[in-house]
Amino acid sequence: MKILYGVVGEGMGHAMRSRVVLDHLFAEGHEVVIMASSRAVEYLERFFDEVHRIHGLHIIYEENRVRMDRTIFSNALAGNEALPDQIGAYFDLVNEFDPEVVVSDFESWTYLFGQLHGLPILSIDNMQIINRCSHEPAIVGDEEASFAVTRAFIKGKLPFCEHYFITTFFYPQVRRERTSLHPPILRREILDARSERGDHLLVYQTAEGHDALVHALEAAGMPCRVYGLRRHITEDQVQGDLVFRPFSESVFIDDLRTARAVIAGGGFTLMGECVYLKKPMLCVPVGGQFEQVLNARYLEHLGFGKMAREVDADEVKGFVKLIGPCERALSAYAQDGNADLFRALDEELDRIVAGL
């Protein structure tokens, strides 16, 4: 089939899992055109010959919180500059590729192309779980307003798709038709990694300026391998028990598979990898992002880790005491790679080809 595949660029998790799905689609013999925005373009270009750049939203963080005013202003400027290119890319696709189906990982331009041309659209992401599943009051907790706003946004993002494939390690009740839940999409590097129980904490924080976390780790007195807080370094920097590392995918995965536990935000991709590798996680959701809060609360509810609004030395020490119970809870988790999602996706594409 001719497939138009769109990848949103905010958060590298979308690009990382899309790479896995794209590998599968190409291996199955499909012809695919890839559209992506922001950092997803550079990432996907490492694996595929051609990736078309389109404009996408980006988020500005300070001190582990979304700065909504700066985010809106920056996106407005970038959107005005990008609009002519969007129109050009749109007509190029119409004239040259003529796709038969659209697959979107939370990406709007390819979705709009599919809607305007009456094409079947398949959604593959984790975000739709907020809108298309029911969540207990204990999980939503004191975030009712954020939940309502986020659900309304997601509901309007990609409505009326042919099917919604939702990746997840937790399984609330599905409340809408044409929806199915599947285990997290895992990179081959994660599937090949052999989990070992080391003595260090892996710390991953992408929001620059999160100084409070550094002070907490220093006071905790445990070896930590820290990624993301010093983005511009080119070699390891040692500060007491903390080793700040430049990002290297292979080194990061090795540190992950040998970690005693993980401290990170509430992004779904790393969380899913921790669950698969059976690594307890102290999750610190980014302020202003309900999706991360939801992920963290389900993680804690299942006994796989702990959620914290802020991190201090006592919080880290308390989490370390929970590592054993978390490991026992994680020992029951099982996942057959990406087989479940790929089987369901192939069946849906077959139905589309058959005109069902």
Side-chain angles (χ1 to χ4, degrees), residues 1-3 22-32 346:
M1 295 185 72
K2 287 186 174 184
I3 300 174
L22 286 163
D23 278 337
H24 173 74
L25 293 174
F26 281 117
E28 290 295 306
H30 298 290
E31 186 178 352
V32 187
D346 291 343

Side-chain angles (χ1 to χ4, degrees), residues 2 5 23 40 75-76 108 144 157 184 187 234 238 241 290 297 304 328 340 344 350:
K2 287 186 174 184
Y5 201 111
D23 278 337
N75 278 288
S108 295
E144 295 94 342
K157 177 76 170 178
R187 298 173 281 167
T234 57
V238 180
D241 287 331
F290 175 77
R297 285 183 171 167
F304 295 166
R328 289 191 287 275
D340 183 74
D350 288 343

Side-chain angles (χ1 to χ4, degrees), residues 14-42:
H14 298 277
M16 293 166 68
R17 67 167 170 246
S18 291
R19 165 203 161 191
V20 178
V21 178
L22 286 163
D23 278 337
H24 173 74
L25 293 174
F26 281 117
E28 290 295 306
H30 298 290
E31 186 178 352
V32 187
V33 162
I34 306 168
M35 303 286 286
S37 61
S38 190
R39 292 188 298 155
V41 177
E42 287 75 21

